[in-house]
Amino acid sequence: MKYSIEKVTTLIGARRYGTLQGDIRWLLTDSRSLCFPEETLFFALKTQRNDGHRYIDDLYRRGVRHFVVEQVPEHYEVRFPEANFLRVPHTLAALQRLAERHRDEFDVPVVGITGSNGKTMVKEWLYQLLLPSQKIVRSPRSYNSQIGVPLSVWLLNEQTEVGIFEAGISQPGEMLALRDIIQPTIGVLTCLGSAHQENFRSMEEKCMEKLELMHDTQAMVYCSDNDVVSRCIRRMHYQGEKIAWSQCDEQAALFVKSIECSKDSDSTVITYRYKGEDGCFEIPFIDEASVENSITCAAVALHLGLTAEQLAERMPQLEPVAMRLEVKEGQRGCILINDSYNSDINSLDIALDFMQRRNVPLKPTLVLSDMFQTGTSPEALYAQVSDLCVKRGVEKFIGIGPELSAQADKIRINEKYFFADVQHFLSSEVFQSLRNELILLKGARHFGFDQITEQLEQKVHETILEVNLNAVVDNLNYYRSFLKPDTKMVCMIKADGYGAGAVEIAKTLQDHHVDYLAVAVADEGVTLRKAGITANIMIMNPEMTAFKTMFDYDLEPEVYSFRLLDALIRAARKEGITGWPVHIKLDTGMHRLGFDPENDMDELIDRLKHQNAIIPRSVFSHFVGSDSDDFDTFSAEQFAKFDAGSKKLQAAFSHKILRHMDNSAGIEHFPERQMDMCRLGLGLYGVDPRDNRILSTVSTLKTTILQMRHVPAGDTVGYSRKGRIDRDSVIAAIPIGYADGLNRHLGNRHCYCLVNGQKAEYVGNICMDVAMIDVTGIDCREGDQVEIFGEHLPVTVLSDITDTIPYEILTGVSNRVKRVYFQD
C-alpha cells in the first residue's frame, strides 16, 4: 500500500515544511537499510546513543526526500530544496501513530504474541501451518520492540488474510503502545520467564503487563498449568474466549493427553482433546521448548479454522526456526553452538537442553558471560546456573565476567575456569587447550563473544602493495563526469577490491556517496559489514549456502535462475523475511548467467508476484564487447533485448526498479544507455578498458632487494638451471614469488621490474617466495626498493607480456602481501 505525503502528514498530526509531492511505501529508521529512497519516509529517531537527525544529509544525497523530524534542519530550503520535513514532537510516537492508523484499514484476524521465550518460534510455526491456505503477514524475525512492531504492522497489505506479530516488553508501561498498534483479535502468551525481571517488582506485575496485549482481543491462548498466569488472568477479568491448554486440567479447551518422544527418530507425538474432539500430531523435534510451542500453535491454528486432519498433516513438516542459535564446525575437533538470542536463565536452560540433545561423543563445555536483567541476586542466580549445568551434563565450565568470577564457588562443576573478560580468556592456556569439545557460547552481546572464534594473525612481509586512495576518487570522478546528475553508480569491489583491499576501498567510496557496492560472494560482504560499511551491498554470485549470511548482514543478492529464485524465497520465508531486495540478471548475449529476456519474463514475473519474501530492486545485464567498436552491432542487439525485457518487468510492479547495463567501458562508449545506474569496475582501479591506458594509478606493488651476489658467465640461476648467465653479472634476490602473485611466465627475461627507476630483468624461473633479477650496471644495494608494477611500470605491461588482462594481475596479488594505504 502507499500513502500520499499529504495523507501521512494528516495521519501523524505533523507540520509540513516543503511542497514536494510524493507517495510513501517504505518506512525507514536505520539509514543503513535504505533500499527504495524514492518512496521512503525516514523517521529521525532519537535514542540514548544516537540521533537520526545526523543522517539526513547523507540520506538526502542518496535520494530520500521525505523526513519525519523533531527539529527542521536550518536553512532547509537551501540545503534540501526538494525535501519534505514533517515536524512532530516525538518521532517514535509519530512512527507508532502511523502504523496504528495503517492497522485501522484492515479487518482481518491478527494474532498478537507475547511472552518471555518462544515468541519468534510460535510466530514462525504459525506461519508455516497457516501459509498453505492463507496469505500471511508476520513480523520480520524478532521485530517486537517499540520500533520493530510498527515497522512490522506497516507490512499489512491488501492481500493480507491473517497478521501475526510479536510484542516484546522490558519494563512497565510499554505494552499499551504495542497493543494499540497491533490491535490483535487473538492474543497468545508463550512461556513466562525471568527476562527483564529486574524492571518489575514481581513476576505477577510482569505477567499483568504482558496480558495488557490481550485486553480487547476476541480470544486468548495460554498455558493454564502456570499458576502465575492463571492468577493474573483471573485478576484481569478477561471478557473474550479463553483457549487454555493444559497437561493437567481435563476441562481445558485443549487438553494434552500424552506426549511421547522418540529419540531414535528425533520426533514427538502429541495426543490431545480440543473442545471435546480428539486429535493427534507429530513434530520433528524432541526438546521441551519445541513441544510446548507446538501445542500453543495447535491451539491457535485450530481456533483459526484448521481441522485436526490439516494440523496432523502439517505439523510434521515444521522446520527449525533460525534465530540466533547456530551450530558450526570449530577448530581442533570442536563443534560450536553459538547462542546470543538472550541471556536469561530460561534461555540458558533451552540452550543447554539443545546441547545435551546433540548426542555427540565430545566433552560438553559451557562458556558463559555474566547474566543481566534477571532480577535475582547473584548468589541465587549462579547457584541456579550451576544446577542447570549439572542437570544438563556440562563437564567443563568457563565463566567470563567479574560477577561470575566472584561467584565461582557457586558453580559445582569439577573442571571450571574464570576470566575477567574475553581478552584474558583468549590469551589463556585454557583457550589454547580446547579440543574435541561441544562448546556452547552463551554471552551477553557487549562481552564480545564473537572474538572467541576469531584469531587475528599479524602479516609481516617485505613485499607491500601501496594503494593510493586519492587515485580511487580521481577515477571515480572521471567516470562520474560521463553520467547524468540522477544516474546512480555501482562500484565493483569484488576479489578484495581488485586486489587493493576491499575494506579501505569501500570506506573511500562510501565517503564519496556511491549508491551501491558490489562483491562476488557473501563472505566478501560480511567482511565489509564487520568493518563498518553501511552502504548498500550487492552480491553478484550468491551461493545457496549463504542465504542466512546475506539476511544477517543486509546483503542484496543477484538472482539469475528459477532454481536460485525458488531457493532464495524458501530461505527468506524460513527466516521470517519479507520484501528483501534482489537484483534480477538477464542474459542478453554473454550466455554466462541470467534469465532469458525473451522467453522467461512471464514466468519470472508470475513467480515474483505470487510471493512477498523478496522484491526486485534492480534489473541488469552485461555488455559482451563494450570495450571494442567491433562489437557495436551486437551491443545494440543486446541493449534492445534488455530494454524490452526490463521494461516488461517494470510494468508488472508499481515501485521503481532500477535498470543498468553500462560497465566501465560502456559508461564512456554508450553514454546514451546509462539508464538508472552504471557499474564501475576496472576503470575505478585506474585502467581504461577501452584502450588499456592508465588513468590514475591506484595500486603499486613494491618489494626490496634481499641479497646481491656476483655470478660469473656460464653459471645458472634458479631451478632447472633455466637462468643461464652469458656475462659476469650482479644478481639480486627479491622476496616475491608466484605465491605472492608474481606470474611465473614473467621469468627467464620475459619481463622486468624497476630498480631505482631502471629495468632489471627476471632471471631464471620465478620461485614460490623469491625471484632473481639482473641488476648489472644498476646503482643499487641490498635494501633498495623494487617496483613490480605501479606508477612507473604500468600493470598493463605485465598483462600484455603474459597474454592476459589487467584484472588477473591486480586480483592475483595474494593476501600475504601487506596493503599500505595513503592519500594526499
Side-chain angles (χ1 to χ4, degrees), residues 756-771:
N756 294 333
Q758 298 188 57
K759 295 181 180 180
E761 292 180 331
Y762 295 104
V763 181
N765 288 335
I766 290 173
C767 308
M768 179 181 288
D769 309 302
V770 177

Side-chain angles (χ1 to χ4, degrees), residues 720-749:
S720 303
R721 306 203 71 187
K722 291 291 182 69
R724 183 164 298 279
I725 302 300
D726 296 328
R727 59 171 182 170
D728 292 347
S729 302
V730 179
I731 303 300
I734 56 177
I736 184 170
Y738 59 79
D740 301 292
L742 186 63
N743 196 303
R744 291 185 78 245
H745 293 96
L746 300 173
N748 296 304
R749 301 189 185 274

Side-chain angles (χ1 to χ4, degrees), residues 69 111 113 156 380 386 434 514 534 584 612 629 659 737 743 775 805:
V69 297
V111 181
I113 306 171
L156 290 168
S386 178
L434 292 174
V514 300
T534 60
I584 305 298
N612 66 352
D629 296 349
R659 301 194 305 152
N743 196 303
V775 295
I805 52 179

Side-chain angles (χ1 to χ4, degrees), residues 345 348-349 352 383-394:
I345 195 73
L348 174 62
D349 189 26
L352 287 171
Q384 192 174 1
V385 167
S386 178
D387 290 342
L388 285 177
C389 291
V390 172
K391 173 184 173 184
R392 297 297 190 184
V394 173

